[in-house]
Amino acid sequence: MTADPLAGWLKVVGLGPGTEDWLTPEARRDLAEATDLVGYFPYVDRVPPGPQVRHASDNRVELDRARHALQLAAEGRRVAVVSGGDPGVFAMAAAVFEALDDPAAPAAWHRVPLSVDPGISAMQAAAARAGAPLGHDFCAISLSDNLKPWEVVLRRLRLAAEADFVIALYNPISRARPWQLGAAFDALRDLRSTETPVILAQAVGRPDEALTVTTLGAVDAAQADMRTCVIIGASHTRLVPREGAQPWVYTPRSYGVRG
Amino acid sequence: MTADPLAGWLKVVGLGPGTEDWLTPEARRDLAEATDLVGYFPYVDRVPPGPQVRHASDNRVELDRARHALQLAAEGRRVAVVSGGDPGVFAMAAAVFEALDDPAAPAAWHRVPLSVDPGISAMQAAAARAGAPLGHDFCAISLSDNLKPWEVVLRRLRLAAEADFVIALYNPISRARPWQLGAAFDALRDLRSTETPVILAQAVGRPDEALTVTTLGAVDAAQADMRTCVIIGASHTRLVPREGAQPWVYTPRSYGVRG
């Protein structure tokens, strides 16, 4: 198949956390206009059937995937690189720019029209289901130590606790990283009250979504899996009882002053 | 007009950062089904004309607005509380739960079916336009010292710099808070390289959107306004030249290890 190299583009498209209810009109349009879909296979599988060529790959090959997508676009294909959640948050957008930033990147890659479609990220979906835990200053930390030394993760957790940020944890646990989440909870237990609310939001936006509200004292890392987003409250994060469900969790907008 | 109190609901609806391209299907449906829209007037004005009763109010009355919305819903109205961006991030969702958490809140408010529709937040839209600055651990800090003492803001900025988070600043500047952003830049200049990339993303998703990529050494607070989201890079945030535009800004996924 031949294509006009000048007609190609690459869009990094955020699919949101699962349900089409959270897929933006921009993302839907770009997926429909793409000739090629590139991504981790569960995300590619989420795009409704269509004429697009599907290049699904395994996890942990983000950079190869990004290079492949840039090359296809440079050859004139309209390429959607798909990511769950927001591609800009611990996801494929950074990998595409890393591939482009390689001194060995062909000049043609730099001529590819490139854009990013933001999506609802996992922590926002988790927060919406739980109430409003991200209503005040917060941070997002990936627990994956594939990409940074574990000491950096620990140091960030300690400083985040000292700053009294609400903390959202991405990539909390996997078969290859079984102990990190427990170690993170242990580190935070030394610095925050055991009564601190903790949210475990599993597969939000999917048919099997589940929400657990517990405390830093009681939480067990075994309650989380790969599809869990963990949110740990700040010192002023509060609960509101809700009939027939987990309590609401919210973090007031004001801090240390009368609102 | 009479309404069945049991038919009421309250949904806190995120409109995203401006363009309908980023309005989720869930938000669109909930706005259409609402009988009443409650919110800060520029957000209420963004909802396309329809039969809904519009309760638009000025800024800084979030808690009154939340109480009014809960009361309307308790009386049987279907109320959409509208927020720009994500209502869970420095916005109306926390105010609604604060109002509900008041010991003086009528029991009827607690019976109102309540939910939150997440939206694309300003920092995500800003990040998408700039590249992928939020590709690694980051934090979000509101610079508004209406709701917390300025010393808390400064302390968090310093700890965030020490943790080497990418930093997104919300509410950077206003007529009533003219000096805080400059003071924040000054504090960070003591802790981060003057070459650190800084993104000023103004009115993203609106017809007059503008993106500026500069450095911590060169940035001037006067370049920002109320509608600006400011993102300050981490030590490993990088630039990629882009023809005919500001350079791309991205933060690699890996940190301190070979990726």
Side-chain angles (χ1 to χ4, degrees), chain A residues 22 101 137 148 238 250, chain B residues 26 101 137 148 238 250:
Chain A
W22 287 332
D101 194 22
D137 301 342
K148 67 191 163 209
R238 295 174 57 95
Y250 80 100
Chain B
E26 176 183 65
D101 195 23
D137 301 342
K148 66 192 162 207
R238 296 175 55 94
Y250 79 101

Side-chain angles (χ1 to χ4, degrees), chain A residues 69-237:
Chain A
L70 282 160
Q71 183 56 34
L72 286 168
E75 289 167 5
R77 310 290 298 171
R78 299 190 300 275
V79 183
V81 173
V82 297
S83 234
D86 185 333
V89 174
F90 304 119
M92 278 303 296
V96 169
F97 291 103
E98 272 177 75
L100 192 64
D101 194 22
D102 184 339
W109 292 7
H110 286 275
R111 289 192 292 268
V112 168
L114 182 55
S115 57
V116 178
D117 296 354
I120 304 291
S121 187
M123 71 178 166
Q124 297 172 283
R129 291 297 198 241
L134 305 179
H136 193 76
D137 301 342
F138 65 93
C139 66
I141 299 177
S142 168
L143 279 197
S144 171
D145 58 354
N146 298 328
L147 295 168
K148 67 191 163 209
W150 178 246
E151 308 80 67
V152 171
V153 178
L154 268 189
R155 182 176 151 75
R156 285 194 180 144
L157 287 169
R158 290 193 186 117
L159 289 163
E162 205 183 325
D164 206 5
F165 284 125
V166 176
I167 302 172
L169 298 179
Y170 280 75
N171 307 314
I173 202 160
S174 73
R175 232 169 296 175
R177 296 181 293 99
W179 56 264
Q180 284 79 350
L181 181 60
F185 287 142
D186 285 342
L188 291 172
R189 280 186 195 109
D190 290 341
L191 298 159
R192 271 193 191 173
S193 158
T194 54
E195 296 307 304
T196 304
V198 172
I199 298 157
L200 303 168
Q202 203 168 24
V204 174
R206 314 291 297 170
D208 57 339
E209 81 168 56
L211 182 74
T212 304
V213 176
T214 179
T215 64
L216 189 54
V219 70
D220 179 345
Q223 295 172 272
D225 67 11
M226 271 184 70
R227 304 186 308 154
T228 304
C229 182
V230 178
I231 300 179
I232 298 150
S235 64
H236 69 311
T237 300

Side-chain angles (χ1 to χ4, degrees), chain B:
Chain B
M1 121 182 62
T2 58
D4 172 7
L6 296 177
W9 48 246
L10 190 160
K11 294 179 198 264
V12 192
V13 177
L15 300 179
T19 165
E20 294 219 350
D21 247 12
W22 287 333
L23 184 70
T24 67
E26 176 183 65
R28 180 180 299 275
R29 186 181 59 234
D30 289 341
L31 293 172
E33 291 177 358
T35 57
D36 294 71
L37 304 175
V38 172
Y40 178 39
F41 69 86
Y43 301 140
V44 171
D45 286 351
R46 273 173 48 193
V47 180
Q52 305 96 332
V53 183
R54 285 161 190 253
H55 309 267
S57 51
D58 208 341
N59 215 342
R60 298 225 205 175
V61 291
E62 286 90 351
L63 219 46
D64 292 341
R65 205 186 284 152
R67 290 187 193 109
H68 183 210
L70 282 161
Q71 183 56 34
L72 285 169
E75 290 166 4
R77 310 288 299 170
R78 299 189 300 274
V79 182
V81 173
V82 296
S83 233
D86 186 334
V89 175
F90 305 118
M92 278 304 296
V96 169
F97 291 103
E98 273 176 75
L100 192 63
D101 195 23
D102 185 338
W109 291 8
H110 285 275
R111 289 192 291 269
V112 168
L114 182 55
S115 58
V116 178
D117 296 354
I120 304 290
S121 187
M123 72 178 165
Q124 297 172 282
R129 292 296 198 241
L134 305 178
H136 193 76
D137 301 342
F138 65 92
C139 65
I141 300 177
S142 168
L143 279 197
S144 172
D145 57 353
N146 298 327
L147 295 168
K148 66 192 162 207
W150 178 247
E151 308 80 69
V152 171
V153 179
L154 267 189
R155 183 177 149 74
R156 286 193 179 144
L157 287 169
R158 289 190 187 120
L159 290 163
E162 205 182 326
D164 207 4
F165 284 124
V166 176
I167 302 172
L169 299 178
Y170 280 74
N171 307 313
I173 202 160
S174 73
R175 234 168 295 175
R177 296 181 294 98
W179 56 265
Q180 284 81 349
L181 180 60
F185 286 142
D186 285 342
L188 291 172
R189 280 187 196 110
D190 290 341
L191 298 160
R192 269 193 193 174
S193 158
T194 53
E195 296 307 304
T196 304
V198 172
I199 298 157
L200 303 168
Q202 203 169 25
V204 174
R206 314 290 297 169
D208 56 338
E209 82 169 54
L211 182 74
T212 304
V213 176
T214 178
T215 64
L216 189 55
V219 70
D220 180 344
Q223 295 173 272
D225 67 11
M226 271 184 72
R227 303 186 308 154
T228 305
C229 182
V230 178
I231 300 178
I232 299 150
S235 65
H236 69 310
T237 300
R238 296 175 55 94
L239 301 182
V240 187
R242 133 163 89 152
E243 220 166 287
Q246 308 274 329
W248 293 112
V249 185
Y250 79 101
T251 308
R253 302 154 306 138
S254 62
Y255 185 91
V257 292
R258 291 296 88 214

